[in-house]
Amino acid sequence: RRLNVRVNIELLSVSNPVHKKDLAVRLTDDTDPFFLYNLVISEEDFQSLKSQQGLLVDFSAFPQKFIDLLQQCIQEQNKDIPRFLLQLVSSAPALDHTPVSLNVVETNPFKHLTHLSLKFLPGTDAEIKKFLANCLKCLKEDKLMLEEKLKKTEEDLTRQLNYTQQSLSEKSRELDKLKNEWTSYTTALSNKHSQELTNEKERALQAQTQYQQQHEQQKKELENLHQKSIQQLQNRLSELEVINKDLTERRYKGDSTVRELKAKLSGLEDECQRAKQEVLSLRRENSTLDAECHEKEKLVNQLQTRVAVLEQEIKDKDQLVTRTKEVLDATQEQKVILEESTEEKQRHIEKLETTIKSLSAELLKANEIIKKLQGDLKTLMSKLKLKNTVTIQQEKLLAEKEEKLQKEQKESQEMGQCLRMKEQEVCKLQEQLESTIQKLEESKQLLKTNENVITWLNRQLSEVQMAKKLDSPASAHAGGRAAVSPLSMPDRPSFHSSGISHPISPLYAFQNFLEPTQGKNGNSQCPVSKAGTSTFFSQLLKQSRCSDPHTVPAAGHAANKENGEQLVLESKYFKKKDDSIPLRGLSQNTLNSEYLRPYLPAKAQPPPKAAGTPASAYFPG
């Protein structure tokens, strides 16, 4: 059968009574808690195992090599034909508390090679109890951690659920209100568009009649031009026929001249071939003469070199004779000097012989002293050997302690790295927490501002509608100017110049409701944030473009008649933001009004309204 087994490898150091190192290997099964096999290998046991299985590794390197073999088995376990296998072999038919051997086997087509074979003993009742107790302790700690996490997540989720339910109920109310407003606005727009369609149809019929008249005139003009061009082309054709006749005559003359020239060319080609043959014969003669000339020049050069060499040899011999004479004179002088020096050296040798005899007697005495010193040296050497054996043992102990120190230092460095990693993770989590808290606060503020705006707008709209119901007879006699009521609420204007006599819908009042609030509060602005207003007016632009295409150019033209310059909002004020609430249903005239002055850039702001100018000048139909 096939099992997934957990292998734990530990190095145990025992200092009582002698410092030893033991390798403890434990086999367990996560599914079977009573599956426990242990193996403890000391340094002496490893030496016998090394000699039995022919291992080439020391005791210090054995644990790492064993781990490498296990990792190779793990890598190969999912393959159909694994290269490395772990075999757990027992003498009994089932694993019933009998010794077991663990084999690391390498498979190949020829043979199954066992790299390592270790014998494991089954765990006693005490060992199994101890192992189970450790497992239970770990599980309890994990359980406590998970319970704490579960409580925290449940609390967070309940808070989020309550918050979302509240926001959902508020949004549903707002949606119902907006739906009611939208239905009233769509009915007003459909009536308006039907009237505009009838006007456009009349204009289109007039334009069609004009285009037909123009087409007939153009047709007549084109016919006259076509006749003139035909006459011109006929005249040109007659001229080209005359030119063609002249060219044919010239062609015939050219053919006759070509024939004469071909006859002349054939005669010249024959003469050229003869001249080529003569040139070839002359070249052959010239090549033979050149070869003879080269050979003679070579002979002359050889003779000249021989003469030069002989002259040089004569000069060299003369120089040699002069040198040999000089050398002879010098040797004779040296001979005389050497004879004198030999006589002096013989005298010196006699003196040295006498000194040697005296030194030999002294050397005999020195040899006796050296023999005594050698005996002393032998005794000292034996003492030194004893000291060396002691120092070697001490050095071994020192080396083992240094290895322990290095291992502990490595462990401390690893722990320090783990700590740094954890600290970095904590810092990142804190930053994420802070960013999420900031976003939450911003979203809350935005929600509050949006709610304030919506309530304020609803209040203003209701006030406007009430004021319009009260002042409806007064607005009928106004004649084309929008008068402002004492309560600073705008009346509905009518436009006789454009041919529209019906009153504008209540939403038109939104263009003017900002003016009374500015008059009352001085420089106090609307509770909407600047980021919200930019997205708010971009939505208005899009809606007005889709719904009322004829009012856009008129508004821009009328608002800038006096100043002679076009007022346009910059593109950054029309960017859509996800956190804003779009308010639909307002025409583009609101963008050209002076009530948006606090939210426009300096170059896009309209001029201040002159005293006494009617409201219709800034809000044209």
Side-chain angles (χ1 to χ4, degrees):
R1 60 174 178 158
R2 190 166 177 167
L3 279 173
N4 284 323
V5 179
R6 189 179 293 279
V7 183
N8 290 323
I9 299 163
E10 291 180 17
L11 262 173
L12 304 171
S13 59
V14 181
S15 57
N16 292 327
V18 183
H19 185 75
K20 282 184 180 181
K21 277 187 179 179
D22 294 336
L23 180 70
V25 185
R26 187 172 64 198
L27 293 178
T28 55
D29 187 4
D30 293 339
T31 56
D32 185 7
F34 294 101
F35 182 87
L36 180 66
Y37 287 91
N38 292 319
L39 172 67
V40 179
I41 302 169
S42 63
E43 290 183 9
E44 295 166 358
D45 296 335
F46 178 74
Q47 293 301 324
S48 63
L49 193 138
K50 186 177 179 182
S51 61
Q52 284 172 9
Q53 298 187 13
L55 300 175
L56 303 171
V57 183
D58 294 331
F59 181 74
S60 58
F62 175 70
Q64 187 58 44
K65 293 290 178 185
F66 183 43
I67 289 162
D68 293 339
L69 286 169
L70 291 171
Q71 282 175 351
Q72 284 180 345
C73 293
I74 290 161
Q75 287 171 5
E76 298 282 330
Q77 68 182 351
N78 294 322
K79 292 183 181 178
D80 296 329
I81 303 165
R83 192 181 162 195
F84 286 91
L85 289 170
L86 263 181
Q87 284 185 350
L88 196 70
V89 183
S90 68
S91 57
L95 296 168
D96 295 334
H97 301 288
T98 54
V100 164
S101 61
L102 183 75
N103 301 328
V104 180
V105 181
E106 184 183 355
T107 61
N108 52 27
F110 182 68
K111 190 182 177 183
H112 289 278
L113 296 167
T114 54
H115 284 287
L116 188 67
S117 179
L118 299 171
K119 286 185 180 180
F120 284 82
L121 294 169
T124 59
D125 291 338
E127 287 174 349
I128 291 165
K129 283 175 184 176
K130 192 178 178 182
F131 171 68
L132 288 169
N134 286 327
C135 291
L136 220 163
K137 189 182 175 183
C138 294
L139 284 166
K140 279 182 177 177
E141 287 174 356
D142 292 337
K143 188 194 167 190
L144 286 167
M145 288 284 285
L146 287 165
E147 282 176 350
E148 286 175 359
K149 282 181 182 177
L150 214 157
K151 282 178 184 176
K152 285 178 183 176
T153 48
E154 279 180 352
E155 287 173 0
D156 293 335
L157 287 166
T158 49
R159 282 174 197 164
Q160 286 176 5
L161 212 154
N162 293 325
Y163 179 71
T164 48
Q165 282 175 349
Q166 287 174 3
S167 59
L168 210 153
S169 61
E170 289 172 0
K171 295 289 175 187
S172 60
R173 287 170 198 160
E174 289 172 9
L175 212 152
D176 293 332
K177 286 177 185 177
L178 288 166
K179 276 181 181 176
N180 294 325
E181 289 173 2
W182 179 249
T183 50
S184 62
Y185 184 64
T186 47
T187 52
L189 271 176
S190 59
N191 294 324
K192 192 177 179 181
H193 282 302
S194 60
Q195 286 179 359
E196 285 175 357
L197 266 168
T198 52
N199 292 328
E200 284 296 322
K201 280 178 182 177
E202 289 174 1
R203 286 177 194 168
L205 286 166
Q206 289 174 3
Q208 193 175 1
T209 53
Q210 286 177 1
Y211 285 135
Q212 281 177 355
Q213 289 172 2
Q214 286 177 3
H215 180 70
E216 287 173 357
Q217 286 177 359
Q218 285 176 358
K219 191 177 178 184
K220 287 175 184 177
E221 288 173 359
L222 284 167
E223 284 175 354
N224 293 326
L225 285 167
H226 187 65
Q227 286 175 357
K228 286 178 184 177
S229 63
I230 286 164
Q231 287 176 359
Q232 286 175 359
L233 287 166
Q234 284 176 352
N235 294 327
R236 195 175 176 189
L237 211 156
S238 59
E239 289 173 1
L240 286 167
E241 283 176 350
V242 172
I243 291 161
N244 195 8
K245 285 176 183 177
D246 294 334
L247 288 167
T248 48
E249 288 174 1
R250 286 179 186 176
R251 187 187 165 195
Y252 288 129
K253 287 176 184 177
D255 289 337
S256 61
T257 52
V258 165
R259 285 169 194 162
E260 290 172 1
L261 287 166
K262 279 181 180 177
K264 286 179 183 178
L265 208 148
S266 61
L268 287 165
E269 282 177 350
D270 294 333
E271 287 177 3
C272 186
Q273 285 177 355
R274 288 170 194 164
K276 281 179 180 177
Q277 287 174 357
E278 288 176 0
V279 166
L280 286 166
S281 61
L282 287 165
R283 279 179 181 170
R284 285 168 191 164
E285 289 175 1
N286 196 7
S287 62
T288 52
L289 288 166
D290 284 335
E292 288 175 359
C293 186
H294 280 301
E295 286 174 357
K296 285 176 180 177
E297 283 177 354
K298 283 178 183 176
L299 281 166
V300 168
N301 287 326
Q302 286 175 0
L303 290 165
Q304 283 176 353
T305 50
R306 277 184 187 175
V307 168
V309 167
L310 289 165
E311 285 176 353
Q312 188 66 37
E313 284 177 355
I314 290 160
K315 287 177 182 177
D316 291 338
K317 283 175 181 177
D318 289 335
Q319 287 175 357
L320 273 168
V321 169
T322 52
R323 283 176 186 170
T324 48
K325 282 179 181 177
E326 288 173 356
V327 169
L328 262 168
D329 295 333
T331 48
Q332 283 175 356
E333 287 174 358
Q334 282 179 356
K335 191 180 177 184
V336 174
I337 294 160
L338 284 166
E339 283 173 354
E340 289 174 356
S341 63
T342 48
E343 286 175 358
E344 287 177 359
K345 281 176 182 177
Q346 279 177 355
R347 290 170 195 159
H348 189 65
I349 287 160
E350 287 172 356
K351 287 177 182 177
L352 286 168
E353 282 174 352
T354 53
T355 52
I356 285 162
K357 285 174 183 177
S358 62
L359 283 166
S360 60
E362 288 175 359
L363 274 167
L364 290 164
K365 290 176 183 177
N367 284 326
E368 289 173 357
I369 294 159
I370 286 161
K371 283 175 184 177
K372 286 177 183 177
L373 288 167
Q374 282 174 351
D376 295 334
L377 256 171
K378 283 176 184 177
T379 54
L380 284 167
M381 285 295 285
S382 61
K383 288 176 183 177
L384 270 169
K385 282 177 183 177
L386 284 165
K387 284 179 182 177
N388 283 327
T389 52
V390 173
T391 50
I392 287 159
Q393 288 174 356
Q394 287 175 351
E395 282 173 356
K396 283 179 181 177
L397 285 165
L398 276 167
E400 286 175 358
K401 284 177 181 177
E402 282 174 355
E403 284 177 359
K404 279 184 184 178
L405 263 169
Q406 285 173 359
K407 284 177 183 177
E408 285 172 354
Q409 283 174 356
K410 283 179 183 176
E411 285 174 358
S412 66
Q413 285 174 359
E414 286 172 357
M415 289 295 285
Q417 287 175 356
C418 288
L419 268 167
R420 286 169 197 162
M421 292 285 284
K422 295 287 180 187
E423 284 173 356
Q424 287 175 0
E425 286 175 359
V426 167
C427 290
K428 286 177 183 176
L429 287 165
Q430 282 177 351
E431 287 173 357
Q432 286 176 358
L433 227 173
E434 286 171 359
S435 63
T436 48
I437 288 161
Q438 283 178 357
K439 285 176 183 176
L440 242 172
E441 287 173 355
E442 287 172 1
S443 61
K444 282 176 182 176
Q445 286 175 359
L446 239 172
L447 264 169
K448 283 177 184 176
T449 51
N450 288 334
E451 285 166 5
N452 291 331
V453 168
I454 289 158
T455 51
W456 187 60
L457 286 169
N458 287 325
R459 204 184 303 142
Q460 291 291 332
L461 281 168
S462 61
E463 286 174 7
V464 166
Q465 285 173 355
M466 290 294 289
K468 280 176 183 175
K469 283 175 184 177
L470 292 168
D471 301 333
S472 56
S475 62
H477 300 286
R481 293 198 176 191
V484 181
S485 64
L487 294 165
S488 297
M489 297 305 296
D491 296 325
R492 285 185 283 181
S494 59
F495 302 94
H496 297 288
S497 59
S498 60
I500 301 166
S501 60
H502 62 84
I504 294 169
S505 65
L507 286 162
Y508 176 79
F510 176 70
Q511 296 175 356
N512 294 323
F513 73 74
L514 287 165
E515 189 174 19
T517 55
Q518 282 181 354
K520 287 175 186 178
N521 301 324
N523 293 322
S524 62
Q525 293 182 355
C526 179
V528 188
S529 63
K530 287 195 178 182
T533 51
S534 62
T535 52
F536 168 71
F537 292 122
S538 67
Q539 292 291 332
L540 294 183
L541 257 179
K542 288 177 186 174
Q543 183 63 28
S544 64
R545 280 176 187 166
C546 297
S547 62
D548 194 5
H550 299 291
T551 58
V552 175
H557 181 69
N560 298 309
K561 269 184 182 178
E562 292 177 4
N563 300 311
E565 61 185 33
Q566 195 172 1
L567 298 176
V568 182
L569 279 172
E570 289 180 1
S571 60
K572 68 182 179 180
Y573 294 98
F574 300 125
K575 286 179 184 174
K576 188 176 179 181
K577 290 193 176 179
D578 297 329
D579 56 351
S580 63
I581 299 168
L583 295 172
R584 300 175 182 276
L586 299 171
S587 70
Q588 197 178 0
N589 297 326
T590 53
L591 295 173
N592 293 325
S593 68
E594 67 176 348
Y595 306 108
L596 308 181
R597 193 183 296 277
Y599 304 103
L600 293 178
K603 58 181 174 182
Q605 286 183 359
K609 188 173 174 183
T613 52
S616 59
Y618 290 95
F619 300 102

